[in-house]
Amino acid sequence: AQTIHQWPVAEIKAVGSPLSLGCTIKGKSSPNLYWYWQATGGTLQQLFYSITVGQVESVVQLNLSASRPKDDQFILSTEKLLLSHSGFYLCAWGFGGGAREQYFGPGTRLTVL
Amino acid sequence: GDSVTQTEGPVTVSESESLIINCTYSATSIAYPNLFWYVRYPGEGLQLLLKVITAGQKGSSRGFEATYNKETTSFHLQKASVQESDSAVYYCALGGITGNTGKLIFGLGTTLQVQP
């Protein structure tokens, strides 16, 4: 069975501090990986996608970056957090293009103060 | 543009009552829209509830049903008799964007509260 793990579960960080969020998918080989973000009261927005190791494409510019150092790992990071980065971050995996469903991790709650 | 609009919550119903959560979509740049309902139960992650990728078809799961209506651009979620355990946040989502983005476009979510 496939499992998707995200870390940390929650973070409280200061404005201007760095951030690193992680995601690991087990039980699937070479999945497409995605990062989504949900601001409080907002909808889920796709931030990044990756179809292979080492390749990440940005969908929305939020002063964040992402990397895929391994087939089963997806990292979201920034060197300087903004208040507007607060929200809920979800990692997801799927296969193929848009005609397929995606499976989401438990998420990370980020609060920037 | 491409967007999803769904019933604003919270929606409160009593156990054993029927439920409908409306979802309409706009898919101006998507040739073949795919439609999904996701659900987030309290304390849990976002789960796929059901999907329909062909217009005119119906998807069902856990007693919930949704029919993909291309004419009205709708994908309403229905259940004949809700249970307290159905209390959750429900998200309608639109996919089918060509290319590798795999982007899903979500509605704002509808919080369902089922009273015993």
Side-chain angles (χ1 to χ4, degrees), chain A residues 13-69:
Chain A
K13 304 277 281 186
V15 170
S17 62
L19 173 77
S20 181
L21 304 180
C23 170
T24 299
I25 294 88
K26 296 299 183 186
K28 279 296 177 186
S29 179
S30 303
N32 290 356
L33 298 179
Y34 311 95
W35 277 111
Y36 285 81
W37 169 70
Q38 184 177 30
T40 302
T43 189
L44 284 152
Q45 294 184 64
Q46 189 187 57
L47 301 178
F48 298 93
Y49 70 92
S50 171
I51 61 173
T52 191
V53 174
Q55 290 187 13
V56 177
E57 300 295 332
S58 174
V59 177
V60 174
Q61 286 298 328
L62 283 182
N63 292 309
L64 295 168
S65 60
S67 64
R68 187 172 179 176

Side-chain angles (χ1 to χ4, degrees), chain B residues 9-29:
Chain B
V11 172
T12 302
V13 297
S14 297
E15 205 164 25
S16 78
E17 287 186 346
S18 64
L19 169 74
I20 181 166
I21 297 176
N22 291 327
C23 171
T24 56
Y25 67 89
S26 171
T28 55
S29 68

Side-chain angles (χ1 to χ4, degrees), chain A residues 34 36 38 41-44 46 49 51 59 88 90 97-102 104, chain B residues 34 36 38 40 46 48 51 91 95-97 99-104 106-108:
Chain A
Y34 311 95
Y36 285 81
Q38 184 177 30
T43 189
L44 284 152
Q46 189 187 57
Y49 70 92
I51 61 173
V59 177
F88 196 56
L90 285 169
R100 304 288 180 94
E101 64 271 27
Q102 292 168 23
F104 289 81
Chain B
N34 305 145
F36 308 88
Y38 281 84
R40 180 184 289 150
L46 195 63
L48 177 67
K51 67 172 182 178
Y91 294 89
I97 297 170
N100 289 317
T101 71
K103 184 164 71 172
L104 294 179
F106 286 85
L108 284 173

